[in-house]
Amino acid sequence: MIQGADTADQYGVVGHPVSHSWSPFIHGMFAKSTAQNLVYRLFDITPDNFRREALRLFTGGVRGLNITLPHKQAAAELVNELTPRAERAKAVNTIAFFEDTSLLGDNTDGLGLTADLERNLGMTLADKRVLILGAGGAVRGVLAPLLERELRELVIANRTPDRARNLATEFADMGQISGCGFGDLRGPSYDLIVNATSASLHGEMPLIPAGIVGEQTICYDMAYGRGHTPFTLWAKSLHAARTTKGWGMLVEQAAESFLLWRGIRPDTQPVLEALAQHS
Ligand code: NAP
């Protein structure tokens, strides 16, 4: 947005696909509420072109980028420096470009998810059994913040089981974590199941057994959009305690990116309320 687009600082989000993103709307609201003069755009860039095109954006004047699927790991290799949480994740969802021409990579996904679960949904994570579906860039960002909550158990299940197992090994120093394929999942039911696959974006549902959902299970789809996703529909049919989508995570991680870029953390509540009308 916003005032004086010709003098406004440039930001945006890079992904493939990216047209579904609500980040321009969210950052537009943040900019207005904090009186920051900036524009925020969508950049659809394929994996083959990511490095070249991202660098071209920065040399062309862009001061910060959000990075979404499937580029988060490539972004960690692009930057000159990583924040400790991005270093741990080996995945980056926020890049800041400084005047000395250095690029700093951060990862705000974990804070986004935990803030939404704890602050917005009122959940206590300590001693909970948690299942994460998927082992891509988004999962890398949320594992450390979840394990810091002293979960009883964290299981990662993925379509390609080795990616889940390797990720579990990488984070084994932080707590009780294991990886497996979808077909290996068994009851008893989990307290929280997070769908962090990109299956919902294609209208698909990971092939997981029903016995892992009970009446106390909260089912969280990181994907967002209007109405139900295949995952939230599936969870509802199994009488999960609650189903929810990733709108809150999206807004909370965006606020943290905004803080890195502009030095101000915007109030997320008005944006959450505005987005509730679209979900
Ligand atoms: P990514 O790095 O491309 O990883 C995609 C993951 O989805 C991989 O684990 C992949 O499994 C799995 N997958 C893809 N299609 C599948 C299918 N049809 N059935 C089962 N598994 C499938 O993507 P990402 O960056 O981690 O993002 C994942 C999802 O989280 C996306 O929907 C994204 O929009 C969402 N997200 C939301 C927020 C938010 O703020 N709400 C933040 C980050 C991400 P394989 O390893 O077998 O390929």
Side-chain angles (χ1 to χ4, degrees):
M1 237 213 121
I2 317 324
Q3 318 116 25
D6 47 338
T7 55
D9 294 332
Q10 297 179 57
Y11 294 87
V13 55
V14 171
H16 183 69
V18 77
S19 58
H20 64 282
S21 174
W22 280 80
S23 294
F25 175 85
I26 294 168
H27 283 282
M29 278 193 76
F30 287 165
K32 211 170 192 172
S33 70
T34 57
Q36 298 289 299
N37 187 19
L38 60 88
V39 290
Y40 188 104
R41 299 191 176 93
L42 298 176
F43 300 104
D44 193 327
I45 297 176
T46 59
D48 285 352
N49 294 322
F50 172 73
R51 188 179 178 85
R52 190 182 65 241
E53 292 300 320
L55 290 174
R56 204 204 312 252
L57 288 173
F58 288 119
T59 51
V62 168
R63 295 185 57 175
L65 287 176
N66 283 130
I67 307 295
T68 187
L69 83 167
H71 302 309
K72 289 182 179 180
Q73 285 164 266
E77 284 161 22
L78 175 80
V79 297
N80 307 103
E81 199 186 334
L82 293 167
T83 62
R85 59 192 176 189
E87 176 120 45
R88 175 83 242 205
K90 295 196 181 72
V92 157
N93 79 334
T94 309
I95 301 179
F97 185 46
F98 295 113
E99 277 169 15
D100 66 359
T101 71
S102 66
L103 293 171
L104 175 68
D106 194 8
N107 193 312
T108 67
D109 279 338
L111 187 139
L113 178 66
T114 52
D116 194 32
L117 290 170
E118 295 174 335
R119 203 181 310 150
N120 302 335
L121 304 174
M123 193 175 176
T124 305
L125 290 162
D127 208 33
K128 296 291 193 297
R129 293 182 64 243
V130 176
L131 168 64
I132 297 197
L133 307 172
V139 174
R140 288 191 153 274
V142 303
L143 289 180
L146 285 173
L147 287 164
E148 280 163 6
R149 267 58 183 186
E150 307 205 334
L151 307 178
R152 183 155 10 128
E153 183 186 12
L154 179 54
V155 176
I156 311 168
N158 195 41
R159 180 175 63 179
T160 310
D162 275 350
R163 287 187 78 192
R165 290 191 193 105
N166 293 342
L167 212 41
T169 305
E170 205 177 312
F171 286 82
D173 58 310
M174 293 194 68
Q176 185 58 45
I177 180 168
S178 60
C180 64
F182 296 143
D184 304 318
L185 290 170
R186 302 275 177 276
S189 55
Y190 288 86
D191 298 301
L192 171 67
I193 303 177
V194 179
N195 180 23
T197 71
S198 49
S200 293
L201 290 181
H202 315 292
E204 293 168 9
M205 168 70 202
L207 291 171
I208 47 176
I212 57 172
V213 176
E215 286 180 0
Q216 88 296 352
T217 309
I218 294 176
C219 291
Y220 189 109
D221 200 337
M222 274 195 197
Y224 49 86
R226 273 182 206 281
H228 276 292
T229 68
F231 174 74
T232 58
L233 265 184
W234 172 83
K236 266 211 172 312
S237 75
L238 296 171
H239 309 290
R242 179 167 190 174
T243 62
T244 183
K245 292 180 293 177
W247 290 103
M249 174 178 176
L250 184 72
V251 174
E252 299 296 342
Q253 62 80 28
E256 205 64 14
S257 299
F258 196 93
L259 172 64
L260 179 75
W261 293 329
R262 309 299 296 185
I264 304 169
R265 198 179 200 282
D267 183 5
T268 52
Q269 202 52 41
V271 185
L272 289 168
E273 284 165 18
L275 287 173
Q277 294 161 20
H278 298 277
S279 60

